[in-house]
Amino acid sequence: MKPARQPLRLLLAAVGAAAMLSFLLLLAPPQNLSFFSSYSYSPYAHRPKLLFLLAGQSNMAGRGAVLHPLPEPYLPHPRILRLAASRRWVPAAPPLHADIDTHKTCGLGPAMPFAHRLLLRGHHVDDELLVLGLVPCAVGGTRIWMWAKGQPLYESAVARARAAVADGGGSIGGVLWFQGESDTIEIDDATSYGGKMERLVADLRADLQLPNLLVIQVGLASGEGNYTDIVREAQKNINIPNVLLVDAMGLPLRDDQLHLSTEAQLQLGNMLAEAYLKFNSSRGSML
């Protein structure tokens, strides 16, 4: 009987290995830089920060191809932090939305170059080193009604914003909003977009107790349906104080003709930063 034991032993070893592999696959660690950065420590984690909510759908979450090596505006910086899904502050490293927009493969978005540009222009705030806190909230494929007050995406964004302020203090500098591609599919969604966006801004300001909260929305560069022009027109016609429009039309797209390329995301980040800096300059801010 002894010769039969070796195949049995091999079979049991194979079953054990398969079970371990299945366990590891269930863990599904993100295959990106942010997985590693989530275990890194930043001495600025509990310092007051200038906070920015990153909200909307896939082009805000980032679908730009991850280049190797990373362009300099995407490299980690000790004073650029990200609020992880666990609501812990970790060093920001792309893809920023890997643990938020979990059903898709995230890539490069506009937030890292935006943050780098701000650091270049504002090294101190009230005699303190400027620390930036990015709060990812965007989820690909979402329509604007999914961001209405009471919906999970809205409530999660508000909760994350409050958590960001509570952990170390600081203030919310604004919301970077890039969404609307999914609202170009149905005519009813497209024609009602403007009213829903205005309601969203009002609800965020009320719930965050920031009546003058800055919202920088990105004008669509593309759409999933035939009503992109209607949504773009709605974006342009939103006439609320402290709501700015940065138009992405004309920026290069990936082959799918829907998502911005890495080059475009880098350019958009700089455009968003310039809009923010110009807005603050008009108010006499040092940053």
Side-chain angles (χ1 to χ4, degrees):
M1 295 296 294
K2 286 185 179 180
R5 291 180 180 175
Q6 185 67 17
L8 179 60
R9 221 178 265 121
L10 292 173
L11 177 60
L12 291 173
V15 170
M20 179 58 71
L21 178 59
S22 298
F23 175 72
L24 292 173
L25 288 174
L26 285 173
L27 290 178
Q31 296 178 357
N32 51 64
L33 294 175
S34 63
F35 172 73
F36 297 102
S37 70
S38 65
Y39 292 94
S40 302
Y41 170 74
S42 168
Y44 300 99
H46 300 293
R47 289 274 299 275
K49 306 168 193 66
L50 183 60
L51 305 166
F52 291 93
L53 270 67
L54 316 176
Q57 57 182 113
S58 55
N59 271 316
M60 176 55 73
R63 298 294 189 263
V66 179
L67 304 177
H68 300 285
L70 282 171
E72 187 172 348
Y74 285 102
L75 293 176
H77 188 285
R79 287 187 282 119
I80 303 177
L81 304 180
R82 176 181 73 90
L83 191 71
S86 62
R87 299 186 186 177
R88 291 176 52 245
W89 286 111
V90 299
L96 296 181
H97 280 78
D99 57 354
I100 300 294
D101 189 13
T102 56
H103 296 292
K104 299 287 185 178
T105 300
C106 295
L108 302 184
M112 285 296 286
F114 168 83
H116 273 274
R117 188 67 169 264
L118 294 194
L119 285 186
L120 286 175
R121 291 286 292 272
H123 296 289
H124 295 79
V125 177
D126 297 330
D127 296 325
E128 293 283 345
L129 279 173
L130 175 64
V131 181
L132 297 174
L134 303 177
V135 185
C137 301
V139 176
T142 53
R143 301 190 182 192
I144 196 167
W145 69 262
M146 299 178 182
W147 290 89
K149 182 179 174 68
Q151 295 292 331
L153 288 174
Y154 176 89
E155 299 302 330
S156 174
V158 169
R160 284 173 58 74
R162 289 171 176 163
V165 173
D167 190 356
S171 60
I172 297 177
V175 177
L176 305 185
W177 174 262
F178 194 167
Q179 189 277 334
E181 294 92 342
S182 293
D183 291 281
T184 67
I185 299 171
E186 303 290 340
I187 185 63
D188 289 346
D189 290 336
T191 54
S192 64
Y193 189 90
K196 289 186 174 72
M197 184 65 194
E198 291 178 356
R199 182 72 261 166
L200 172 61
V201 172
D203 287 337
L204 283 173
R205 288 175 172 175
D207 287 339
L208 296 176
Q209 300 181 15
L210 296 170
N212 299 313
L213 176 66
L214 173 65
V215 177
I216 307 179
Q217 58 170 342
V218 179
L220 295 186
S222 59
E224 294 184 56
N226 297 322
Y227 304 110
T228 304
D229 289 343
I230 295 176
V231 174
R232 280 179 48 81
E233 200 61 29
Q235 293 176 316
K236 294 177 184 179
N237 289 332
I238 291 172
N239 187 20
I240 302 176
N242 298 353
V243 176
L244 310 180
L245 178 70
V246 170
D247 199 346
M249 181 58 75
L251 294 181
L253 301 174
R254 299 193 67 173
D255 291 341
D256 61 10
Q257 295 302 302
L258 180 64
H259 296 109
L260 296 184
S261 67
T262 299
E263 174 193 350
Q265 290 285 17
L266 177 56
Q267 188 174 343
L268 178 60
N270 288 328
M271 292 164 63
L272 290 167
E274 286 304 310
Y276 175 80
L277 292 167
K278 182 178 180 180
F279 174 81
N280 271 325
S281 176
S282 69
R283 304 172 69 196
S285 171
M286 294 299 291
L287 177 61

